[in-house]
């Protein structure tokens, strides 16, 4: 499903250059839920951004679902990301002027699909995350947990092959975080591959595999029960 070969990412040039990833090799089978952990500056967020096509590697190759994404043009990676990858961020990244259902519909509308076509799917995923009655509310009318559930619904609405979750419980209390993690796990059980970046050891325990990073490299890779 996901393959990284000798992936390096260097920011800056010359004496100010910083190597965020130093030749990483990693394979993630389809349908796996992988937790990526490590201290700040270990490279885990850089890894997530590269997997999502939000940045390009300095060297190496990244393949997702048989498609090499490293080296794609900006337009190509934008379309691939919009159709294949769902994102869940710590700070939700919802547009404040749009309602919950409009935020969820956005990836489909940007892909040229009409509102009449996408509305049943949008309503379905909002019901799935328990927000069917809140679909007309804007982000400032929702709690943090509700905003994160809108973000999860937005990730699910495209039927993604890959969900990338970057500290999805970082701004939530423990009870709400538990609900969000359960939704991420359910998405994985529904067939999506999930890469979860977290500092939280409890959140990491939801993965069937834990990849630990430090200083731009992978220092351990263990599966549950190993």
């Amino acid at each position: 499903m996901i393959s990284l070969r000798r992936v390096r990412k260097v920011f800056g040039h010359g004496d100010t250059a910083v190597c965020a990833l130093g030749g990483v090799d990693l394979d993630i089978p389809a349908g796996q839920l992988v937790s990526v952990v490590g201290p700040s500056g270990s490279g885990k967020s850089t890894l997530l951004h590269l997997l999502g096509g939000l940045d390009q590697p300095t060297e190496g190759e990244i393949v997702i679902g048989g498609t090499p994404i490293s080296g794609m043009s900006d337009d190509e990676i934008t379309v691939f990301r919009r159709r294949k990858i769902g994102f869940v961020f710590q700070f939700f990244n919802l547009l404040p002027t749009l309602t919950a259902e409009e935020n969820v519909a956005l990836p489909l509308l940007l892909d040229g699909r009409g509102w009449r076509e996408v509305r049943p799917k949008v309503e379905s995923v909002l019901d799935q995350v328990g927000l069917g009655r809140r679909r007309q509310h804007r982000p400032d009318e929702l709690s943090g947990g509700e905003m994160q559930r809108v973000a999860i619904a937005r990730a699910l609405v495209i039927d993604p092959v890959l969900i990338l979750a970057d500290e999805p419980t970082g701004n939530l209390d423990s009870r709400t975080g538990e609900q969000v993690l359960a939704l991420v796990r359910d998405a994985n059980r529904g067939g999506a591959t999930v890469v979860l970046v977290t500092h939280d050891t409890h959140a990491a325990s939801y993965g069937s595999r834990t990849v630990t990073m430090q200083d731009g490299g992978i220092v351990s890779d263990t599966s549950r029960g190993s």
Side-chain angles (χ1 to χ4, degrees):
M1 168 59 189
I2 299 173
S3 175
L4 287 80
R5 290 292 175 267
R6 300 175 298 280
V7 172
R8 297 182 72 246
K9 181 62 183 179
V10 178
F11 294 100
H13 302 279
D15 293 341
T16 61
V18 175
C19 183
L21 283 184
V24 168
D25 291 313
L26 180 65
D27 291 302
I28 300 174
Q32 197 167 63
L33 198 169
V34 179
S35 300
V36 180
V37 301
S40 296
S42 61
K44 59 188 188 298
S45 290
T46 299
L47 174 67
L48 198 79
H49 290 169
L50 292 175
L51 288 175
L54 300 173
D55 207 346
Q56 288 285 347
T58 305
E59 296 176 13
E61 183 179 56
I62 301 172
V63 178
I64 297 178
T67 301
I69 67 166
S70 43
M72 276 186 173
S73 69
D74 288 345
D75 288 344
E76 288 171 335
I77 194 61
T78 296
V79 171
F80 182 85
R81 187 168 54 233
R82 191 165 60 219
R83 294 178 178 174
K84 300 292 185 180
I85 303 176
F87 292 89
V88 183
F89 296 102
Q90 179 177 356
F91 296 103
F92 319 127
N93 285 20
L94 302 178
L95 294 180
T97 59
L98 300 185
T99 64
E101 68 177 1
E102 289 168 340
N103 268 289
V104 172
L106 196 57
L108 301 179
L109 298 175
L110 289 172
D111 209 33
R113 300 166 67 176
W115 177 250
R116 183 176 296 179
E117 176 190 358
V118 307
R119 185 170 186 172
K121 178 67 171 178
V122 170
E123 291 180 350
S124 175
V125 295
L126 280 170
D127 286 340
Q128 185 178 339
V129 301
L131 289 177
R133 295 183 178 181
R134 305 284 279 171
R135 61 177 180 266
Q136 295 297 328
H137 291 253
R138 290 183 171 81
D140 64 359
E141 300 170 315
L142 301 172
S143 68
E146 287 172 334
M147 285 191 283
Q148 194 60 292
R149 282 188 278 159
V150 172
I152 291 173
R154 182 182 57 193
L156 294 176
V157 78
I158 64 170
D159 294 318
V161 297
L162 173 62
I163 294 176
L164 300 175
D166 191 2
E167 301 284 1
T169 62
N171 282 330
L172 306 176
D173 61 66
S174 58
R175 178 176 174 274
T176 306
E178 198 77 27
Q179 295 170 345
V180 165
L181 289 169
L183 288 170
V184 171
R185 182 183 58 199
D186 289 346
N188 172 248
R189 290 174 174 173
T193 304
V194 177
V195 179
L196 168 67
V197 164
T198 183
H199 282 98
D200 182 353
T201 55
H202 176 67
S205 72
Y206 273 71
S208 59
R209 175 182 175 192
T210 300
V211 173
T212 304
M213 299 191 67
Q214 186 171 331
D215 298 329
I218 295 172
V219 294
S220 72
D221 186 345
T222 59
S223 296
R224 184 181 296 166
S226 297

